[in-house]
Amino acid sequence: MIKGLKKWRLFSLLAVFAVFLAGCGQEEISTFHPAGQVAQDQFNLLLLASGIMLLVIIVVVAIYTVALLRFRRSKLGEDHIPEQVEGSHTLELIWTFIPIVLILILAVPTVYYTYKLGDVKAMEAVDEDGNAENLVVDVTAKLYWWEFEYPDLGIVTAQELVVPTDEKVYFNLIAADVKHSFWIPSVGGKLDTNVENVNKFYLSFERESEGLKDGVFYGKCAELCGPSHALMDFKVKTLPRDQFDDWVAGMQKTAEEPVVANADGEAVFSQSCIGCHAVSGVGESGAQGPNLASFGDRNRVAGFLEHDEENLKDWIRDTQKHKPGNTMPSFSKDQISDEDLDALAEYLLGLKVEK
């Protein structure tokens, strides 16, 4: 088959493989670089399953090769009749016993980790004062963005999940429109977000995201949910507990001490945007559009565009061009003039909690 491939075709094929394999090495999005105990447990299961499959392949190929070389007709003659093993109890026991052993080796740890990783009883745990002992985040997936509510802290954000390191973080997952799937490849396996029920699980973030590309882990929607499914990204920032507490305090202050980088832009926002978006991090989930309280701290516009003024203004002018099927309306020059758009962009980019 290799001979049938022209050199340029073989080179193209190898280049495609190289592109796919290159994606496996990015720490901020690769399952091959576990960033927490949950991801490490799942990675170990992956290695075990792959090892068993590889062992089976090696044994089968070895037997096939030996048979091919040792029992060739040209070597043994046309009249050679191999030993007949039909009805051999020994062989039947061997090829029945070995698969059972392999399945048990894989099944026992799989069942163990299924129950271990599905244990969310600690979500309800409270201390003597009635305060929650663990951080719980309610995640709502929408077309095509993510909302994160911290019910015990009274704050809401969108598109960027901020969590403390070295702690278990528990999640309630639900979808507002169609089925999506919540997935942070470096931190743990995916779990569906359904419209009709809440799915629960936990993740452990044991590596700070600072130092990674963009300073964040990448999160994805892993369920085909519409034309912009591939663009339904979110980012995860992991912070030491003291920095996380500072972030929480900053978000809570946005209710009483709003940041106004451009007063004219704030006026445009109040006239055209406030019906769908909030700029206070204090509140509850359920808004029609993403909460923008920390918009200036984000790494992306609309989840995937470079976070700069040009992309922000281009997004506001034509949202469907960038993210087909999303529910945010576009704003023409008749609705928001270029001057007002400049002021609005400066105002939005100034909404910062961390910087």
Side-chain angles (χ1 to χ4, degrees):
M1 187 177 89
I2 298 297
K3 289 183 178 179
L5 287 174
K6 294 183 179 179
K7 288 184 178 179
W8 69 270
R9 290 178 179 172
L10 181 60
F11 178 78
S12 301
L13 187 61
L14 293 174
V16 170
F17 279 124
V19 169
F20 279 108
L21 291 175
C24 299
Q26 299 180 19
E27 295 179 68
E28 65 276 7
I29 196 172
S30 175
T31 57
F32 293 157
H33 293 275
Q37 190 58 50
V38 173
Q40 186 64 57
D41 291 344
Q42 294 171 345
F43 183 64
N44 292 340
L45 278 179
L46 176 66
L47 290 179
L48 177 62
S50 300
I52 291 174
M53 288 187 289
L54 185 61
L55 174 64
V56 171
I57 291 173
I58 290 174
V59 170
V60 171
V61 170
I63 293 174
Y64 177 80
T65 303
V66 169
L68 191 66
L69 298 176
R70 186 174 178 183
F71 301 103
R72 285 177 297 171
R73 181 172 296 176
S74 60
K75 181 178 180 181
L76 301 178
E78 294 288 340
D79 298 329
H80 175 74
I81 298 177
E83 181 183 355
Q84 301 302 295
V85 296
E86 180 182 357
S88 171
H89 290 169
T90 302
L91 289 177
E92 288 181 353
L93 285 173
I94 290 175
W95 58 53
T96 301
F97 179 73
I98 291 178
I100 290 176
V101 170
L102 294 178
I103 290 174
L104 286 175
I105 292 174
L106 182 60
V108 171
T110 299
V111 172
Y112 169 75
Y113 282 117
T114 298
Y115 281 94
K116 175 187 175 185
L117 301 180
D119 183 3
V120 293
K121 294 191 293 291
M123 292 181 76
E124 311 297 335
V126 294
D127 60 20
E128 296 178 351
D129 299 324
N131 300 314
E133 293 185 352
N134 298 289
L135 179 63
V136 178
V137 181
D138 295 342
V139 179
T140 305
K142 305 186 180 185
L143 289 175
Y144 295 94
W145 58 282
W146 300 85
E147 186 172 68
F148 306 109
E149 179 183 9
Y150 301 70
D152 298 317
L153 304 175
I155 60 178
V156 177
T157 186
Q159 295 297 82
E160 190 168 281
L161 173 67
V162 182
V163 294
T165 52
D166 298 324
E167 296 180 23
K168 288 182 179 178
V169 180
Y170 292 83
F171 295 93
N172 291 310
L173 305 177
I174 196 166
D177 33 56
V178 299
K179 182 188 288 290
H180 302 276
S181 191
F182 181 79
W183 188 26
I184 310 171
S186 299
V187 186
K190 64 178 182 177
L191 189 63
D192 284 350
T193 65
N194 303 319
V195 176
E196 64 274 10
N197 67 287
V198 176
N199 282 333
K200 302 180 179 183
F201 79 148
Y202 73 86
L203 294 173
S204 177
F205 302 82
E206 297 176 3
R207 176 175 176 179
E208 292 175 20
S209 56
E210 186 177 7
L212 300 176
K213 180 183 178 183
D214 296 329
V216 292
F217 290 102
Y218 282 51
K220 308 285 292 185
C221 174
E223 189 75 38
L224 183 59
C225 56
S228 289
H229 151 71
L231 305 177
M232 191 173 167
D233 294 0
F234 63 96
K235 308 296 181 291
V236 184
K237 186 172 292 183
T238 58
L239 302 172
R241 175 39 96 165
D242 57 338
Q243 294 183 26
F244 176 76
D245 291 339
D246 291 341
W247 175 79
V248 171
M251 288 291 286
Q252 292 171 338
K253 283 183 181 178
T254 58
E256 299 177 353
E257 301 176 15
V259 178
V260 181
N262 186 303
D264 293 335
E266 183 186 31
V268 176
F269 182 87
S270 299
Q271 184 178 6
S272 304
C273 314
I274 203 168
C276 299
H277 299 279
V279 290
S280 167
V282 177
E284 298 178 349
S285 64
Q288 190 171 348
N291 187 297
L292 303 178
S294 58
F295 182 82
D297 294 326
R298 293 185 190 173
N299 299 93
R300 290 288 187 275
V301 173
F304 71 101
L305 294 170
E306 289 295 325
H307 196 262
D308 57 38
E309 182 177 343
E310 182 180 355
N311 279 326
L312 173 58
K313 291 191 288 189
D314 199 32
W315 162 255
I316 294 172
R317 283 284 186 234
D318 191 352
T319 62
Q320 296 304 314
K321 179 181 72 175
H322 296 288
K323 222 175 202 181
N326 84 88
T327 58
M328 177 172 166
S330 301
F331 291 85
S332 67
K333 292 185 180 182
D334 294 334
Q335 295 167 301
I336 299 180
S337 68
D338 286 340
E339 293 76 15
D340 286 346
L341 185 59
D342 291 341
L344 177 61
E346 183 177 352
Y347 169 71
L348 292 174
L349 292 171
L351 296 173
K352 298 180 179 180
V353 173
E354 301 173 49
K355 302 174 183 175

